[in-house]
Amino acid sequence: MREITYRQALNEALAEELARDPNVFLMGEEVAEYNGAYKVSQGLLERFGPRRIIDTPISENGFVGLGVGAAMVGLRPIIEFMTFSFSLVAFDQVVNNAPNMLTMSGGQFNIPITFRGPNGPAHQLGATHSHATECLYANVPGLKICTPATPRDAKGLLKTAIRDDNPVLVLESELLYSSKGMVEPEDFDLLIPLGQAELKREGSDVTIVCYAQTVPLALAAAETLENDHEISAEVLDLRSIKPLDLEAILKSVSKTHRVVIVEQDRPFCGVGAEVCYRIQKEIFDALDAPIMRVAQEDVPMPYNERLEKAVLPSAEKLIAAAQKVCYA
Amino acid sequence: MQPPEQRDEVEMLSLMLLIRRFEERASQQYQAQKIGGFCHLYIGQEAVVCGAVAAARPDDYLITAYRDHAHALARGTTADACMAELFGKATGCSRGLGGSMHYFDKAHHMYGGHAIVGAHVPLGVGLAFASKYRDEDRVTLCFFGDGAINQGGFHEALNLAALYNLPIIFICENNLFAMGTSVERSTSLKEIVDRAEGYDIPGTVIDGMNFREVRDKLAEIIDSIRKDPHPAFAEIRTYRYRGHSMSDPASYRTKEQLEKFRLDDPITRLRAQLTREEKLTNEQFDKMDKHAKETALASVKFAEESAEPPLEKLYNYTYVNAAGSGEARPAEEASA
């Protein structure tokens, strides 16, 4: 194991899969000559050439559709969104074409495409550039969605996504690109299955369900809960939103009997609403308190730093929610 | 033995007849409420897709919009599979899961059947991208209507095709109306073909009521693309005799206009050309027409007698290789 950044981990995943399969290509805005808006594709043009690392104009609807068409005949496109906020310009392609094709064609055409890029609020980017799109896409049958929170998960999930025969969204996080973590050596073929949550911290009083950039937040909150409030929190990182690892969630909640879900999207019809529904449906009697959710406030993201902070989930909000479900 | 070109023309006339008789039968079955959803008929436009198919190779990629029955039939999908799809049966070309607007036939290189106006034009560019990526000499035939040319995706697709120099021919089937809105009311340009010029793509105008002109002009373009990959644009002027869909009485256009085009009917025209040149007798034509009618009628029987897609396979087409991976929810859960 060695310590690398989340960005580096993604870069390794791309390079390894490009080297492994000649049908894989990377396409998006600034991915080639600029080396990626966030430098995730650094060095790939030099190594794989312009046939496989392809710059596009600012034309999301066009190049996402191009990717879907190429995938219909067996290529395996990786489409980079500079941010998933821009995927909304290609919403019709991501929602109507990629995931519907298999059903509409009676099983004749699957779409092995990977959509990737940063998702969720970063820092003071304002309303248009701060979308957490997971709840929008999770509503669409036919899409798979993963949300890596660590460099190891970033590498392992992206590699799995590229090899998946269905459309997969890899929702990265701008705030995590420079974070570091331990990852297996470069030549190790690291594949992490979609739909497997990971227990990040064991605990006995409350389960904190989290994903993506709420994972570091949950771990920090768990630390404070332990040290200052004598509450032992278990932290479960979903890693994939769809498929959802319901088994891992139920196992943890059956042990702790209390849950707080911390999500980076909006509360109305958010990921937490679905998780909450599943828990109460399956193990209602195991619950000792109503399930709580910590999500964004239900407003378009304000630019002002203080207001933005107030909108976002925080360790403080999470600690308060954990205390509440523990009646502490 | 007739020379190949003549035989082909008689064959293509026979195909045009099959398309027309199939669509007439589909119309009748729709009115009898055997067919659900929307149903858009191709009657009047037969020379367009038949001319294109005659000009292309069977392994060239073909993709189109929602008025797609003829494109599948022209490519070789059977009338049985096409009618069964309208009936929502498991024997349909999309197993009864796609419907009228979503015909697919991988074996015949028919890549849909796409119902969001303009949204499949980028997909066509993706097919062409794949040919170039793999260094194949296939050409992509990307059909769409005049209603698609004001959608963003259409413009983005043309720009990308030109930028990457992809082997694709954009075929605009200009039937003068996008649903009930005439081209004059939808498009700032006087000539649709001028859209291509804005992207440095060569454009041609073709009379879509004349099979021979469609075939010959497209053949020339397709050959030039095959020799040296590049995008091209053809505006094919045609007319649909029926409304936009089955529920449309087409009151937005005049009887005179309809009659004018009917007098220029593509089937009558090719028949007359072949008869005049003594390549087709009236008896032969009647026989072909009878055969087309019988094939269309038999397809109704086939569709009626076919089984529905099995309910227990409802979740089988949401993901591939999904068995046991956990993402498919039981039906009870999904509707809860």
Side-chain angles (χ1 to χ4, degrees):
Chain A
M1 300 280 261
R2 75 238 139 90
E3 190 174 60
I4 58 172
T5 63
Y6 187 99
R7 171 185 290 110
Q8 214 175 329
L10 292 166
N11 181 273
E12 283 184 12
L14 293 172
E16 287 174 22
E17 295 309 303
L18 282 157
R20 178 179 172 270
D21 184 348
N23 286 321
V24 173
F25 67 90
L26 173 67
M27 176 173 260
E29 292 154 6
E30 310 290 4
V31 297
E33 295 197 9
Y34 195 87
N35 282 302
Y38 295 99
K39 304 299 169 203
V40 170
S41 56
Q42 182 91 45
L44 296 180
L45 173 64
E46 201 181 336
R47 183 166 165 200
F48 296 100
R51 180 175 157 267
R52 302 184 64 200
I53 311 297
I54 304 147
D55 276 328
T56 66
I58 300 169
S59 193
E60 284 86 1
N61 185 2
F63 67 77
V64 173
L66 187 159
V68 174
M72 285 183 85
V73 287
L75 294 187
R76 306 184 77 87
I78 304 167
I79 302 293
E80 175 173 312
F81 288 118
M82 197 180 285
T83 136
F84 266 88
S85 289
F86 303 164
S87 76
L88 302 180
V89 180
F91 198 65
D92 178 56
Q93 296 293 347
V94 180
V95 167
N96 244 332
N97 282 342
N100 281 347
M101 205 71 76
L102 187 68
T103 294
M104 289 195 303
S105 67
Q108 292 177 83
F109 293 100
N110 64 301
I111 305 297
I113 196 168
T114 303
F115 300 110
R116 52 153 294 271
N119 171 63
H123 190 64
Q124 282 197 279
L125 301 182
T128 59
H129 282 50
S130 300
H131 286 283
T133 59
E134 58 271 30
C135 52
L136 303 178
Y137 292 122
N139 193 247
V140 180
L143 295 177
K144 296 184 180 184
I145 300 165
C146 62
T147 52
T150 67
R152 185 172 184 274
D153 289 346
K155 183 170 179 182
L157 288 170
L158 178 53
K159 279 168 67 80
T160 302
I162 295 168
R163 292 190 202 182
D164 200 288
D165 287 330
N166 300 283
V168 183
L169 280 71
V170 181
L171 304 181
E172 302 160 5
S173 169
E174 187 188 329
L175 299 178
L176 296 173
Y177 279 140
S178 297
S179 66
K180 288 182 175 170
M182 300 303 283
V183 180
E184 283 83 347
E186 211 168 331
D187 54 357
F188 182 80
D189 199 19
L190 176 64
L191 293 167
I192 296 173
L194 300 174
Q196 275 190 16
E198 188 178 60
L199 206 56
K200 292 283 194 219
R201 178 191 169 111
E202 284 201 46
S204 53
D205 296 329
V206 57
T207 298
I208 299 175
V209 177
C210 55
Y211 63 90
Q213 54 199 47
T214 66
V215 175
L217 199 143
L219 288 168
E223 196 70 23
T224 308
L225 285 165
E226 181 90 65
N227 296 339
D228 301 352
H229 305 283
E230 291 178 352
I231 291 173
S232 165
E234 179 145 303
V235 176
L236 185 70
D237 175 3
L238 293 175
R239 299 203 291 190
S240 294
I241 304 295
K242 208 174 188 181
L244 185 68
D245 190 351
L246 186 61
E247 205 179 311
I249 296 167
L250 299 181
K251 192 177 163 198
S252 176
V253 177
S254 299
K255 184 173 82 173
T256 62
H257 309 291
R258 293 175 165 88
V259 196
V260 178
I261 303 158
V262 57
E263 58 201 294
Q264 62 180 2
D265 61 1
R266 277 71 173 258
F268 201 100
C269 299
V271 168
E274 179 70 20
V275 174
C276 179
Y277 162 73
R278 302 269 191 125
I279 295 169
Q280 62 81 33
K281 179 169 180 282
E282 298 296 330
I283 52 168
F284 185 74
D285 290 338
L287 291 169
D288 284 348
I291 297 167
M292 287 205 59
R293 293 171 60 201
V294 177
Q296 286 189 38
E297 295 296 325
D298 205 4
V299 293
M301 186 65 80
Y303 161 72
N304 174 274
E305 191 172 20
R306 197 165 66 100
L307 293 183
E308 183 186 58
K309 208 174 156 216
V311 169
L312 294 173
S314 65
E316 292 71 37
K317 291 178 188 175
L318 184 49
I319 289 162
Q323 286 179 291
K324 199 164 177 190
V325 299
C326 291
Y327 302 114
Chain B
M1 179 87 185
Q2 292 164 312
E5 191 193 315
Q6 292 172 18
R7 195 179 62 231
D8 282 355
E9 285 189 332
V10 174
E11 258 177 42
M12 296 316 286
L13 180 62
S14 168
L15 183 58
M16 286 160 72
L17 278 167
L18 173 65
I19 290 167
R20 182 158 302 181
R21 300 311 177 205
F22 177 89
E23 294 288 59
E24 286 168 354
R25 200 48 85 175
S27 167
Q28 181 211 40
Q29 293 300 307
Y30 190 90
Q31 276 154 353
Q33 297 186 317
K34 295 286 182 64
I35 296 169
F38 295 131
C39 187
H40 309 87
L41 304 178
Y42 199 70
I43 296 172
Q45 301 184 206
E46 294 90 346
V48 180
V49 77
C50 290
V53 163
R57 253 176 21 198
D59 67 335
D60 284 333
Y61 294 141
L62 187 154
I63 187 165
T64 188
Y66 51 83
R67 197 179 301 282
D68 58 353
H69 307 167
H71 299 73
L73 289 166
R75 259 303 160 94
T77 310
T78 63
D80 284 356
C82 288
M83 191 61 80
E85 189 58 35
L86 297 181
F87 278 58
K89 297 299 182 74
T91 51
C93 57
S94 301
R95 293 188 205 248
L97 305 182
S100 166
M101 303 189 287
H102 309 119
Y103 274 24
F104 289 84
D105 188 346
K106 195 175 193 171
H108 290 99
H109 296 289
M110 159 63 178
Y111 294 88
H114 297 271
I116 301 294
V117 174
H120 72 286
V121 186
L123 303 188
V125 172
L127 297 171
F129 175 89
S131 316
K132 187 168 179 182
Y133 187 90
R134 291 177 165 143
D135 206 17
E136 295 171 344
D137 68 348
R138 289 179 213 259
V139 175
T140 295
L141 313 179
C142 181
F143 294 83
F144 48 88
D146 49 276
I149 65 158
N150 300 308
Q151 278 279 36
F154 164 84
H155 288 265
E156 295 187 27
L158 261 65
N159 183 52
L160 289 169
L163 201 60
Y164 301 146
N165 209 24
L166 300 177
I168 182 167
I169 175 159
F170 297 101
I171 301 174
C172 179
E173 299 195 51
N174 177 8
N175 64 19
L176 309 183
F177 290 91
M179 201 166 159
T181 303
S182 66
V183 173
E184 304 88 80
R185 293 204 300 128
S186 71
T187 303
S188 61
L189 290 172
K190 285 199 177 59
E191 305 278 335
I192 286 176
V193 69
D194 291 342
R195 278 272 186 268
E197 200 180 329
Y199 298 96
D200 240 349
I201 293 175
T204 314
V205 176
I206 298 174
D207 175 6
M209 308 309 268
N210 183 345
F211 167 82
R212 286 180 172 172
E213 182 176 331
V214 175
R215 179 198 58 196
D216 294 346
K217 286 196 173 172
L218 288 184
E220 197 182 318
I221 297 167
I222 290 169
D223 289 345
S224 87
I225 295 175
R226 215 184 296 288
K227 281 191 197 103
D228 175 29
H230 66 271
F233 188 100
E235 178 196 343
I236 306 191
R237 293 181 181 163
T238 182
Y239 203 73
R240 60 169 153 78
Y241 297 173
R242 303 294 183 91
H244 163 71
S245 64
M246 287 299 300
S247 58
D248 171 22
S251 51
Y252 43 82
R253 54 189 198 185
T254 61
K255 268 191 182 150
E256 291 72 28
Q257 188 184 47
L258 176 59
E259 278 319 304
K260 178 179 145 267
F261 280 97
R262 273 197 162 150
L263 286 173
D264 198 18
D265 183 77
I267 292 177
T268 311
R269 188 155 168 177
L270 181 57
R271 178 191 179 180
Q273 284 164 333
L274 289 168
T275 308
R276 200 162 49 236
E277 293 159 13
E278 296 183 353
K279 292 167 185 165
L280 181 76
T281 63
N282 285 338
E283 292 70 35
Q284 271 177 299
F285 180 84
D286 291 344
K287 205 176 147 195
M288 285 190 332
D289 195 26
K290 186 165 173 272
H291 181 69
K293 284 176 179 165
E294 284 167 0
T295 306
L297 185 61
S299 75
V300 172
K301 189 164 184 283
F302 174 83
E304 273 173 342
E305 289 170 359
S306 291
E308 306 253 356
L311 200 54
E312 61 274 17
K313 286 192 177 173
L314 181 63
Y315 278 88
N316 282 28
Y317 302 104
T318 309
Y319 298 95
V320 281
N321 303 324
S325 67
E327 60 264 37
R329 298 168 67 189
E332 170 270 330
E333 177 92 284
S335 59

